[in-house]
Amino acid sequence: MDRDQTDKDDEASAHERPTLKTLAFMTGLGVTTVSRALKDAPEIGAETRRRVQLVARQIGYRPNRAGVRLRTGKTNVISLVLNTEREIMSFVSDIIYGVSEVIADTPYHLIVTPYSRSQDPLDPIRYLVETGSADGVIISRTQPNDPRARYMLERGIPFATHGRTDMGLIHPYHDFDNYAFAAEAVRHLAGIGRRRLALLTPPVGLTYHGHTVNGFADALSEVGASEVPFNTVSIDHSIEQIRMRTAQLMRRDDRPDGFVSSAAAATLAVVAGIEDAGLKLGRDVDVVSKQSSDLLHLFRRELLVVNENFRLAGSELARSVLGLIGGAAPGSLQSLSLPGEVVAYQG
Amino acid sequence: MDRDQTDKDDEASAHERPTLKTLAFMTGLGVTTVSRALKDAPEIGAETRRRVQLVARQIGYRPNRAGVRLRTGKTNVISLVLNTEREIMSFVSDIIYGVSEVIADTPYHLIVTPYSRSQDPLDPIRYLVETGSADGVIISRTQPNDPRARYMLERGIPFATHGRTDMGLIHPYHDFDNYAFAAEAVRHLAGIGRRRLALLTPPVGLTYHGHTVNGFADALSEVGASEVPFNTVSIDHSIEQIRMRTAQLMRRDDRPDGFVSSAAAATLAVVAGIEDAGLKLGRDVDVVSKQSSDLLHLFRRELLVVNENFRLAGSELARSVLGLIGGAAPGSLQSLSLPGEVVAYQG
DNA sequence: TCAATACACTGAAACGTTACAGATTGTCAC
DNA sequence: GTGACAATCTGTAACGTTTCAGTGTATTGA
C-alpha cells in the first residue's frame, strides 16, 4: 500500500505525457518490467508482455527521446550533411524525401546539417561526432580521398556516402554509374554522327568527376571520336560563367559538334551559350545531359537526356546507414545505380 | 579530501566528452556553480565566472543536449514540416538554407518532418506536439483557415507559417505579396497591349491562391482587360496536365493573349502547351511568371519574370520562430515580401 | 556585540530511461 | 524436506542537466 507516495503526478492532473512510471502504475508492475515488456525481453511472461503493450498502445505511450538518449547514447537521429552553396537544388529536395520515405516508420528523425563555402567540410562532421548528435551520417560531394569518410571510419561512426571513395577502405555508399553515363552519352552522340565532343564535367576533386572523365575518354577511343577540351568550367560554376565559356568555345573553328553535360542546370547554360554563338541545337551540335526531373525536354526538345534518380539515392543511402547501425557488413551496403538509355524527345 | 570517490571517470581514461562534472573537478567548484557560471547567473562572482568560462572554452565543453532536454524540456530543435509530394523543389532547398543561415550560430538543430499526400497534414504536427520533439515549427502550404495553425495556437507551441491565415488569429508568418505580384503582372501585360489574360493559379485552398486571384481580378478591372478562365489546373498539377490543358485552351478562338503563372516549373509546361498549339511566345502571347532562381530566361528569353526569394523566406521564418520562442510578440513577427518589377530578358 | 543581510557557493533531487544485481516464487529431483 | 534451478519480477543507480533549499562567510547597521 505504498501508493500514496507516487500518486502525486500520476493520478491527478489532466493529461501529462505518459511515461514508464505511468504504465507501471496502471499495470501494477515495476518500471523495469514495463521497460522490458515493451522491448520484448525474454525474461518477461507472455501475458504480462501483452498486457503492458496493450495498455501502452491504448494510452499512446511514446518513449521519451531525451531519456533514452541520455541513458543509452542513442540519438535516433540521422544527419544529412549538405553544402549550402554548391548542392544541386533538386538533389536536396529529392534526397531528403528519399531518406524520409525510409525512416518514416522507424524512430529516426532527419536533421539537416549545413556547411558553407568558407568552411572546412570536415567541420560539420567533427561537430556531429564530438557532440554525439547523430547515430548515422549521410554525406555527399564525395572525394576519392575523403577526409570526412576517413574521420568517421576511424571513429566508428556509421555513415554512407553519396558517391564512392578510392582509399582502399570499405564503407557504405550509393552511387550513380557516371562512367557508364558518360560512355553511353559518347556512344549515342557518335551514333548520330558527332565526332568532336566536349564534356562539361562534375566539380573537379569529387570522385565522380574522375568516373565521368574516364567514361568519356574510354568511349571516345572506342568509337574513334575526338575530344574538344572544355576544362575552364564545371557544373559547379555559375550559369553565367558556363554560358560565357560555352559561347566562347562555340565561336572557335575547332568547335565541338557534341556535348556531354553532367547536370541539368548547367545544360541550360550550355544551350544558351550555343545559341549565343548563333548555332542551333540538333543541327550544329547535339547535347546529352543528365537530369533528375523531367524538365529538359520542355526546355529544348532537341536535347538528349539520361535520368538520375536522387530520391532513390536518398532511400538507398538511408537504408545503408540504418543497415550499418543495425550491424550489417559495410561491404554489403554499397549500391550502384545504372543509367538508363539516352532518351530523345517523344512528342 | 573526498576526491578519490569521483575521480574514477574524470581523472583517468583518455578523452571522454567533458561534462559539468569534469569542469567542476577541474575548477574545484561544485556542478551547480559551474552550471550557473556558464549561463551568467547573477549570484556567481565575476572572477569565478571568467575562470569557469575560460576552462570550458579551453577543453571544448558542449552541454549535453539530452541532459538539457530531459531536465528542462527544451529541445533546441526547429522542425520544418514539408509535404513530400507537392512542395516546389527549389522551395525545399532554399528554405532549408535560409533557415540554416539563421540558426547557424544558435544551439538549434533543424529537423525535417515530412508528410505525404495520403496523410492528414495535421498528423505530423500532432506528432511533434505530442512527443514534444521541437521548440518551434515552420509550416508551409498555409490555408485561410488552417487547422495546424489553430492546433498549435491552442497549445501554445511556437510556430511560423509560410503564407498568411485568415482566422482573425495573430501568429508569426512570412509571406510574399502575391496580390501585388498578380496585379503587377496584369498591369505589365496590359502595358504591352495584352487584353485577354489567363491565370495559372496556386493550389486551390491555400491562402495565396485567394491573394493571387484577387490581385489578378482587381488589376484586370483597373486596366480594363478581361479574364479567360483557366480553372482546370493549378501549379500543383503535373507538367503533363498543365501542358495539355494549356494547349487545349490555346487552340480555342477565344484564347488568351497573356498568361500569369505562379510557379516556374508550371511555366515550362504552359510554354510547352502554347507551342504545342503552334503559337509563339512574345508574338501571339506573353507570359509573366514567378521564379525563385534565374532559369526562366535561359528557357525562353521572351518570358517575363518576377523573382521570389525562398531563401529569404526561410531566414525570415526562422527569425520569427526564434523570436517567438524568445518571448517576442507574435504580431511583431510578421513580414511581407514585396515583389520586384516584372523583368524582361536583358541579353 | 549581535542580528540582519547580502554574497558566493553547494548538495540533493528530479527529468525518463536502461543496466545491474538481486528477490520472490514455484517446480523438480532426490 | 531440501537444495537447485528456472521463470518472473523488482529496486537502485546512473546518464548530464537545472532547480530547490540550503550553508557558510563577510559586511552592515544599531
Side-chain angles (χ1 to χ4, degrees), chain B residues 164-180:
Chain B
R164 283 161 284 177
T165 58
D166 187 17
M167 314 183 288
L169 298 174
I170 295 174
H171 60 83
Y173 65 76
H174 175 82
D175 204 355
F176 180 81
D177 191 340
N178 286 285
Y179 180 96

Side-chain angles (χ1 to χ4, degrees), chain B residues 78 102 108 158 172 316-330 332-333:
Chain B
I78 300 293
V102 172
Y108 285 92
E316 285 299 315
L317 287 166
R319 250 187 282 278
S320 293
V321 178
L322 293 189
L324 192 56
I325 292 173
S332 70
L333 300 169

Side-chain angles (χ1 to χ4, degrees), chain A residues 12-328:
Chain A
S13 85
H15 236 35
E16 299 291 298
R17 183 153 164 230
T19 70
L20 288 182
K21 204 162 133 202
T22 320
L23 285 179
F25 177 70
M26 293 180 74
T27 55
L29 298 164
V31 281
T32 304
T33 310
V34 173
S35 171
R36 285 179 156 151
L38 288 176
K39 43 177 59 66
D40 289 314
E43 60 260 83
I44 301 296
E47 196 203 311
T48 305
R49 199 208 316 284
R50 275 202 311 276
R51 200 156 61 87
V52 170
Q53 293 182 351
L54 176 70
V55 177
R57 221 173 313 118
Q58 288 292 329
I59 66 173
Y61 168 77
R62 311 262 200 166
N64 179 307
R65 313 190 115 232
V68 175
R69 181 164 169 177
L70 181 56
R71 178 63 235 240
T72 65
K74 177 135 221 263
T75 62
N76 283 310
V77 162
I78 300 292
S79 172
L80 176 63
V81 179
L82 294 175
N83 184 308
T84 48
E85 273 116 9
R86 314 208 116 110
E87 224 72 67
I88 297 173
M89 257 182 193
S90 57
F91 172 71
V92 174
S93 152
D94 279 342
I95 206 168
I96 285 177
Y97 292 153
V99 172
S100 296
E101 247 169 51
V102 171
I103 66 175
D105 21 53
T106 72
Y108 285 91
H109 282 180
L110 171 64
I111 92 174
V112 174
T113 307
Y115 66 99
S116 59
R117 198 199 315 273
S118 55
Q119 277 176 351
D120 184 347
L122 200 48
D123 277 357
I125 310 293
R126 272 204 215 93
Y127 169 81
L128 289 172
V129 172
E130 282 169 11
T131 61
S133 288
D135 295 337
V137 176
I138 296 173
I139 61 176
S140 67
R141 301 184 66 83
T142 308
Q143 304 178 6
N145 186 337
D146 198 299
R148 301 168 301 170
R150 197 181 290 282
Y151 181 85
M152 289 190 279
L153 223 35
E154 273 166 11
R155 273 148 245 254
I157 309 296
F159 71 98
T161 61
H162 182 236
R164 283 162 283 178
T165 58
D166 187 16
M167 313 183 287
L169 298 174
I170 295 174
H171 61 83
Y173 65 75
H174 175 82
D175 204 355
F176 180 81
D177 191 340
N178 287 285
Y179 180 96
F181 156 68
E184 266 312 311
V186 167
R187 284 188 207 104
H188 189 98
L189 287 170
I192 56 177
R194 302 305 185 178
R195 316 303 309 170
R196 304 178 39 72
L197 309 183
L199 172 65
L200 180 56
T201 68
V204 180
L206 305 194
T207 312
Y208 83 115
H209 173 269
H211 293 154
T212 307
V213 166
N214 289 340
F216 185 74
D218 289 357
L220 276 184
S221 38
E222 177 191 318
V223 302
S226 70
E227 170 172 12
V228 179
F230 189 41
N231 305 316
T232 46
V233 284
S234 76
I235 60 170
D236 244 15
H237 286 78
S238 72
I239 294 289
E240 292 73 26
Q241 291 214 307
I242 298 173
R243 178 178 185 169
M244 195 251 290
R245 292 298 185 180
T246 305
Q248 217 170 63
L249 181 69
M250 296 310 284
R251 289 197 178 100
R252 286 171 19 191
D253 297 337
D254 57 345
R255 62 178 156 79
D257 57 4
F259 264 95
V260 177
S261 166
S262 287
T267 300
L268 301 188
V270 166
V271 171
I274 289 170
E275 295 172 353
D276 286 346
L279 301 172
K280 187 162 163 14
L281 204 61
R283 185 190 64 193
D284 305 309
V285 57
D286 274 299
V287 177
V288 177
S289 173
K290 271 206 293 185
Q291 70 173 2
S292 66
S293 56
D294 216 5
L295 293 180
L296 286 180
H297 275 152
L298 291 174
F299 177 56
R300 295 287 185 274
R301 44 187 70 176
E302 295 83 6
L303 282 169
L304 304 162
V305 305
V306 174
N307 292 298
E308 175 171 7
N309 189 339
F310 287 138
R311 195 184 269 244
L312 173 70
S315 296
E316 285 299 315
L317 288 165
R319 251 187 281 279
S320 293
V321 177
L322 293 188
L324 192 57
I325 292 173

Side-chain angles (χ1 to χ4, degrees), chain B residues 112-190:
Chain B
V112 175
T113 307
Y115 66 100
S116 59
R117 197 197 317 271
S118 55
Q119 277 177 351
D120 184 347
L122 201 48
D123 276 358
I125 310 292
R126 272 205 216 92
Y127 169 82
L128 289 172
V129 172
E130 282 170 11
T131 60
S133 288
D135 296 337
V137 177
I138 296 173
I139 62 176
S140 66
R141 302 184 65 83
T142 308
Q143 304 177 6
N145 186 337
D146 199 298
R148 302 167 300 171
R150 197 181 291 281
Y151 181 86
M152 289 189 280
L153 224 35
E154 273 166 11
R155 274 148 245 253
I157 309 296
F159 71 98
T161 61
H162 183 233
R164 283 161 284 177
T165 58
D166 187 17
M167 314 183 288
L169 298 174
I170 295 174
H171 60 83
Y173 65 76
H174 175 82
D175 204 355
F176 180 81
D177 191 340
N178 286 285
Y179 180 96
F181 156 68
E184 267 312 311
V186 167
R187 284 189 207 104
H188 190 98
L189 288 170

